[in-house]
Amino acid sequence: MRNIGIGLVGGGYMGKAHAAALSAVGAVFDTPLRPRLEMICATSTDSAERYRRAYGFARATEDWRVLVAAPEVEAVVIASPQDTHRAIAELAFSLGKPVFCEKPLGAGLADAEAMVAAAEASGCANMVGFNYIRTPASQFARALIARGDLGQISWFRGEHTEDFDADPAKPASWRSFGAANGAMGDLAPHMINAALALMGPIAKLSTDIVTVYNSRPGADGPVSVTNDDIGQFMCRFQNGAMGHLSFSRVATGRKMGYAYEVTGSKAAIRFDQEDQNALWLYKAEGPEAERGFRKILIGPEHPDYLAFCQGPGHGTGYQDQILIEARDFLRAIETGQPVWPTFRDGLEVSRVIAAAHASHASGAWVAL
Amino acid sequence: MRNIGIGLVGGGYMGKAHAAALSAVGAVFDTPLRPRLEMICATSTDSAERYRRAYGFARATEDWRVLVAAPEVEAVVIASPQDTHRAIAELAFSLGKPVFCEKPLGAGLADAEAMVAAAEASGCANMVGFNYIRTPASQFARALIARGDLGQISWFRGEHTEDFDADPAKPASWRSFGAANGAMGDLAPHMINAALALMGPIAKLSTDIVTVYNSRPGADGPVSVTNDDIGQFMCRFQNGAMGHLSFSRVATGRKMGYAYEVTGSKAAIRFDQEDQNALWLYKAEGPEAERGFRKILIGPEHPDYLAFCQGPGHGTGYQDQILIEARDFLRAIETGQPVWPTFRDGLEVSRVIAAAHASHASGAWVAL
Amino acid sequence: MRNIGIGLVGGGYMGKAHAAALSAVGAVFDTPLRPRLEMICATSTDSAERYRRAYGFARATEDWRVLVAAPEVEAVVIASPQDTHRAIAELAFSLGKPVFCEKPLGAGLADAEAMVAAAEASGCANMVGFNYIRTPASQFARALIARGDLGQISWFRGEHTEDFDADPAKPASWRSFGAANGAMGDLAPHMINAALALMGPIAKLSTDIVTVYNSRPGADGPVSVTNDDIGQFMCRFQNGAMGHLSFSRVATGRKMGYAYEVTGSKAAIRFDQEDQNALWLYKAEGPEAERGFRKILIGPEHPDYLAFCQGPGHGTGYQDQILIEARDFLRAIETGQPVWPTFRDGLEVSRVIAAAHASHASGAWVAL
Amino acid sequence: MRNIGIGLVGGGYMGKAHAAALSAVGAVFDTPLRPRLEMICATSTDSAERYRRAYGFARATEDWRVLVAAPEVEAVVIASPQDTHRAIAELAFSLGKPVFCEKPLGAGLADAEAMVAAAEASGCANMVGFNYIRTPASQFARALIARGDLGQISWFRGEHTEDFDADPAKPASWRSFGAANGAMGDLAPHMINAALALMGPIAKLSTDIVTVYNSRPGADGPVSVTNDDIGQFMCRFQNGAMGHLSFSRVATGRKMGYAYEVTGSKAAIRFDQEDQNALWLYKAEGPEAERGFRKILIGPEHPDYLAFCQGPGHGTGYQDQILIEARDFLRAIETGQPVWPTFRDGLEVSRVIAAAHASHASGAWVAL
């Protein structure tokens, strides 16, 4: 059993999730390649040391260049802010080290393109962290579609809606500024990725974007919000189906409204991340009187389920998605084969976002 | 207690619903004005006579002109095909007789405009049959919004989705031809009416429309379908909120997907006609740990409920919506005051549909 | 088309429901036999006259004997308090007039037995008003079980729970006194009827009954409550299955918790009257990965649905159940054949309630 | 930061869950005490060695006595069959080593009593593995009840239903023999524990137990099943509330039907482990028209949620429950204070089960 030294950039929000996943991934999946927690990087010496102790890394640093360059760090996991992704990844690839990068791929389309170029030039394993699509339920949805069970697909609707900014009295924060932190920049990537994974490429789209609360309280009085609260677009997929995607950070009552429906001539599916252990399936077969959307509870028959759960009905959670990512990243490194979703898959998402912004600016449909 | 002679044009689909409602409306609502079932018109002498006996009308005819002109017919209910609406209504109004007309108002925008002109010139009571919005749940949704409980409203999403044409092997029928019978012509009116009722006027929209199954089996081989299976539009309401509406007759698994969600700064609501006795409400108040969408079961505290139900949880159904329409039509006649939705309200719906077709043709946003 | 003169005893709660149903039943079902609303009886001359006008009866009386004896009254519908059922029914049967009686059959087992004896001696049509089991969903559940789709049935759980007395500060009322008005007397009959209809006879049971709030506010201070708030029993059915039934009037949050689940070796069903247009069905067939409880929306394929609804998803409500009862009562009269549920079916329910009280008194299982 | 050597007995079903939890518990909870994975025991040298490699333990053995006695093993986790629990625990306690034991506590009441005696005599930390009650939702339910939010509680209903033996054609297995492996022995403990945790002690109960499928296919023809498929009991809690609990392994369609409802005068709650990230709460306050069961999605405001989830809606799963157990076991060891549920809590569950069997045998109520 081989092992590999991991460097983790970012100890907060996503960093902890990855640290916990790297600690347990071997026991859960019996992976041939096992991670060693070599170094963690955070924004100050103090916080880095605190994370090191909490998560069990060997060393800590406040300089990501030190981490990436360290010989015992053989692969890098990036869980730091979007505008740092590109430089970290480029350095790692230049040193021949595999990279797992949280979504989205950098702070915009240019970053994403550069990161894909660097990754592909290096030949190193590269993955991007679209974790929600990893649930057994969504993996099963992909499988149902892939094997043709839905028949001719005519409709896709997806949303990613949350309510963290639904209260207009909430003060401005870093989330209030910059396209990358708006609904289209921050929430859209996960659901666009889902749409592409389930439906294939988008052919064209028409977009609308709005800032609902233009001003928020700041330390010294009202502050102007410079990015969007809600975005939506209509689209046509290359497979001919019609689609609609929407994204909102002001969706009162929604906590993880990562939800989609796919309608085909033979069947339809519905999914909502707020009830991530169920997939709803309607099959247009059998007696009419017995047809209905069935709530399939994810279990041993579904992808990856048994890694976390001992029996039916046990249920998976958020951390299990991160564990699957860790396993797949290790697998990509070990086998030398790309494992979905690669940086290139992340770039496709960024391209859709760029097209959506262009459509909103022009008021017209934009082809991809 | 006065009574009034009713003439009903159309004995099939909707005619029976109105006949049953007219029979029971007095007992249910103790209306000051009571209907007498004077005459029914159907497409043949035989069917008209059969309907007459079944529904309990005094006389039958196969000529709607006879019905409208009969002295004992004092008010007319139109439940015949769209392209007959205008002529019947115009004759009735010219004779000073009130008219209740099933939705949509005629076969297109020109019909709707002429019918409103005739109605308003006559001064007669006039109503259009948007029945779904009459459920206690939707009436309560309107009341919640009207009294400001949702705060600043930022988002509306509505759909009317069914699956009666979801099977591509289903033969062509009258539904397969003519814009008025497509998804935008036949399904959209109810949900556009709901959007206008809940949100107020639409300022602009951008539309996409598609025919999924271009050909269907006919008696002598494949037949080309000339109208749309799915339509959708993004919009902005005059109140500033963003919206999305979609309509489909190929939505596998959906039987009465008349569903909407409205999101405001203080609360959000969700409704689905398939579970018409519940309204889901989320209020952004009280301890965070206790917040959630609550399933409000419609009961004695909600509009019109007690007319049909003796106690909480009894539940209303489709026929109860038609009963409310019958009561309101009688009320409009008796009081001489317009009762929502009037022909003018129906015209607003037709205008939105016309704008949607224009937007689809141009690929651009269209202002209303 | 023949018609028949109806006398209705009771104009309040249930009386109005029956009056409305009698008004519309002909139009809805095109019944061969049509009701004439001849006479209504209420507790005072004033109220009787008020009901007469509202519901459209020809005459009014405050004396049920006058009503039952009137020659133009050819059949009697009893919607008056339980303790009046027996005398009214006995007089009607003695005059050879069919009787529809609201549940339960009289104020106790002795009444029920006497009423069955009188009914059967007379040979007249007789029915008892268990309306909830008439929904298309529950009728379909019965059909699924009857045709063996569930395989060997091992388990039944039913409840009838409401919350009208859940607030301990609610003043005492007529509901607070007398076994017939407690949870076991007033709520149990509907669900016991459902259990018998779905599962067949009960072989034995063991019961527990409790008064949660022993005292309630009265006009002159606290009043002792003399009947039960909650009852439950475990049972074995003659078919070998195990069962559990519970009844509560203090079930906070429950408005019409008339709900049951039936589990067999091949399938299971679930139903809740609060969502009366759906039946949940799980079939242990097909790929494991695609199994789940499916929410079957009641539609044209299900019993009696098309009488009230023009298409899928329209939905039925409380009043539709009463319409089915009216149709069946007319059918029983017209054909001379018993139509379920007859007085004898009502007696079986009363026998179960009596056994339940005996079990609670002895603390032991009681055989039926 | 101190650490402690762990010995794990059992590498299969539950062993893996504990191994993974022990690997990640430090990173997830930043525990002061950190586990070292010292030794694992399985039934053969080969399997033990395989588990050792997979889970990352230092050593392996096929003799639990070797494991318990090893000096570097400072605490023992028991995840082996029920009939091994007692001997392992007694040896560990005799050596002054803390023990975490999977539920139930041994193979019957005598084992449980002996294990409590040994634990309490030793003064060592001891816990029993009732994991389901550890979800944030159920912890929140406990908190709501504990702080009196439900008012006077009148009713508890709980079930633990699964369908792993629902198919009568499934061959006999170890599950088919011995009371400890029947529904009352194997499924009841979790839900009885929940009932005691939420409601407090049971005062008396009346039980029914049944074997639905008395014979199952074996290698050499039909085999007699010697234990129960379904059990249920009615009970009264010491707090005066009425209760009902049921357990089934033949509940077609149910995968993890660990579900309960608690009804009080002010509020009611509902929970189902199949949707473990939601708690349904109805509060009898505010306008009647706005009341309803609300679906509270578990989030940062609820107990233990933020350990696994970075934000609202992320959701927890089965493995997270085991992580909480690991944290609490470490805490009990570190602080020297008992942490619920101790062996004594497990014994209370065993006593209820024994009383239930006694009630079934006598057909009478049994006091505890």
Side-chain angles (χ1 to χ4, degrees), chain B residues 27-29 135-137 276-277 297-321 323-324, chain C residues 12-18 20 55 131-132 255-256 273-274 276-277 316-322:
Chain B
V28 170
F29 286 107
T135 56
Q276 67 188 275
N277 285 295
L297 202 64
I298 299 305
E301 305 77 19
H302 300 108
D304 279 341
Y305 179 86
L306 276 177
F308 321 105
C309 297
Q310 313 296 337
H314 282 174
T316 68
Y318 176 77
Q319 191 61 29
D320 299 324
Q321 302 154 23
L323 273 160
I324 294 175
Chain C
Y13 196 91
M14 290 305 304
K16 176 182 168 184
H18 287 292
Y55 306 155
N131 56 290
Y132 297 120
K255 308 305 175 189
M256 186 47 64
Q273 189 74 18
E274 290 187 356
Q276 69 188 274
N277 285 295
T316 68
Y318 176 77
Q319 191 61 30
D320 298 323
Q321 301 154 24
I322 313 299

Side-chain angles (χ1 to χ4, degrees), chain A residues 221-366:
Chain A
V223 174
S224 286
V225 173
T226 67
N227 57 18
D228 46 305
D229 288 323
I230 312 180
Q232 65 168 322
F233 63 77
M234 305 186 292
C235 67
R236 295 285 184 102
F237 291 92
Q238 285 187 12
N239 68 9
M242 191 182 255
H244 179 256
L245 281 82
S246 61
F247 322 99
S248 174
R249 65 185 184 189
V250 295
T252 302
R254 278 301 234 164
K255 308 306 174 185
M256 185 47 65
Y258 172 96
Y260 55 80
E261 61 185 36
V262 189
T263 304
S265 56
K266 294 181 182 171
I269 56 179
R270 295 182 154 208
F271 175 77
D272 191 326
Q273 189 74 18
E274 291 188 354
D275 191 8
Q276 69 188 275
N277 285 294
L279 185 72
W280 292 79
L281 171 68
Y282 180 98
K283 301 188 80 167
E285 66 180 34
E288 291 263 4
E290 297 180 12
R291 293 183 190 175
F293 273 96
R294 63 189 78 172
K295 184 179 183 177
I296 301 173
L297 202 63
I298 299 305
E301 305 76 21
H302 301 107
D304 279 340
Y305 179 85
L306 276 179
F308 321 106
C309 297
Q310 312 295 338
H314 281 173
T316 68
Y318 176 76
Q319 191 61 29
D320 299 324
Q321 302 155 23
I322 313 299
L323 274 159
I324 294 175
E325 294 185 326
R327 177 202 62 188
D328 285 0
F329 185 45
L330 293 171
R331 184 179 292 167
I333 294 169
E334 187 209 2
T335 64
Q337 300 299 317
V339 178
W340 184 89
T342 64
F343 276 23
R344 181 160 288 277
D345 298 301
L347 173 59
E348 293 308 314
V349 171
S350 299
R351 283 182 175 148
V352 173
I353 294 173
H357 280 294
S359 168
H360 179 56
S362 69
W365 287 79
V366 168

Side-chain angles (χ1 to χ4, degrees), chain B residues 140 144 147 149 280-281 283 285 287-297 301-302, chain D residues 140 144 147 149 280-281 283 285 287-297 301-302:
Chain B
F140 184 54
L144 283 171
R147 71 192 197 204
D149 281 24
W280 292 80
L281 171 67
K283 300 187 79 167
E285 65 179 35
E288 290 263 4
E290 297 181 12
R291 294 184 189 174
F293 272 96
R294 61 188 80 171
K295 184 179 182 177
I296 300 173
L297 202 64
E301 305 77 19
H302 300 108
Chain D
F140 184 54
L144 284 170
R147 71 191 198 205
D149 281 24
W280 292 79
L281 171 67
K283 300 187 81 166
E285 66 180 36
E288 290 263 2
E290 296 180 13
R291 294 183 189 175
F293 272 96
R294 62 189 80 170
K295 184 179 182 176
I296 301 172
L297 202 63
E301 306 76 20
H302 300 108

Side-chain angles (χ1 to χ4, degrees), chain B residues 239-255:
Chain B
N239 68 10
M242 192 183 253
H244 180 255
L245 282 83
S246 61
F247 323 100
S248 175
R249 65 186 184 188
V250 296
T252 303
R254 278 302 235 164
K255 308 307 174 186

